[in-house]
């Protein structure tokens, strides 16, 4: 299941670069994603939708959230064209995808913390 939602190679590369700060990066992504979802749900016009979707797409892509980035890209493109019919359904899909990846990131954070604790013991 995780393969269609998360790119594990991206996560491995991020962990290698971030080292001990990797769990903090995961926490930040989760918190930022929640805020971006709130903005998407409350957007009042196409420009707000487009900007929020663009930002969410970038962070999702950087964090290896493949499907989430694809959905945000679709929303960004539709908002850019001001094609807002059925947009609530797409925002709902984004919300649903985040509901799938959030526990995957939380599990990744726990795994990383456990790995760090094991390494420090030896």
């Amino acid at each position: 299941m995780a393969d269609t939602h998360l790119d594990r190679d991206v996560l491995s590369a991020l962990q290698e670069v971030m080292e001990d700060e990797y769990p903090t990066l995961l926490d930040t992504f989760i918190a930022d994603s929640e805020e971006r979802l709130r903005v998407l749900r409350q957007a009042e016009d196409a420009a707000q939708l487009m900007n929020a979707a663009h930002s969410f797409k970038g962070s999702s892509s950087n964090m290896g959230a493949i499907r989430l980035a694809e959905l945000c890209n679709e929303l960004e493109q539709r908002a850019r064209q001001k094609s807002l019919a059925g947009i609530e359904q797409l925002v709902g899909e984004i919300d649903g995808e985040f509901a799938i990846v959030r526990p995957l990131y939380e599990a990744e954070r726990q795994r990383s913390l456990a790995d760090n604790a094991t390494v420090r013991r030896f």
Side-chain angles (χ1 to χ4, degrees), residues 26-117:
L26 296 169
D27 286 341
T28 301
F29 175 70
I30 290 169
D32 286 352
S33 296
E34 289 170 347
E35 176 61 19
R36 287 184 171 105
L37 276 169
R38 187 190 64 74
V39 171
L40 286 179
R41 287 186 211 108
Q42 297 175 353
E44 296 178 3
D45 59 35
Q48 280 183 326
L49 268 174
M50 186 177 69
N51 291 334
H54 176 78
S55 177
F56 203 4
K57 174 188 74 176
S59 64
S60 297
S61 179
N62 290 339
M63 292 297 293
I66 304 161
R67 180 77 179 129
L68 193 54
E70 290 169 354
L71 290 167
C72 289
N73 181 57
E74 184 179 337
L75 179 58
E76 179 187 8
Q77 297 311 312
R78 287 181 55 187
R80 178 170 281 130
Q81 297 164 0
K82 296 183 177 42
S83 173
L84 302 182
I87 212 79
E88 298 85 7
Q89 180 180 346
L90 185 52
V91 171
E93 288 181 49
I94 291 169
D95 212 347
E97 180 62 19
F98 182 67
I100 292 170
V101 298
R102 179 186 179 135
L104 298 175
Y105 282 109
E106 290 170 345
E108 176 68 9
R109 179 184 183 279
Q110 291 305 316
R111 184 205 55 77
S112 174
L113 289 171
D115 286 353
N116 286 347

Side-chain angles (χ1 to χ4, degrees), residues 16-27:
E16 192 172 308
V17 170
M18 297 298 295
E19 297 178 344
D20 289 346
E21 294 302 312
Y22 180 62
T24 303
L25 176 67
L26 296 169
D27 286 341

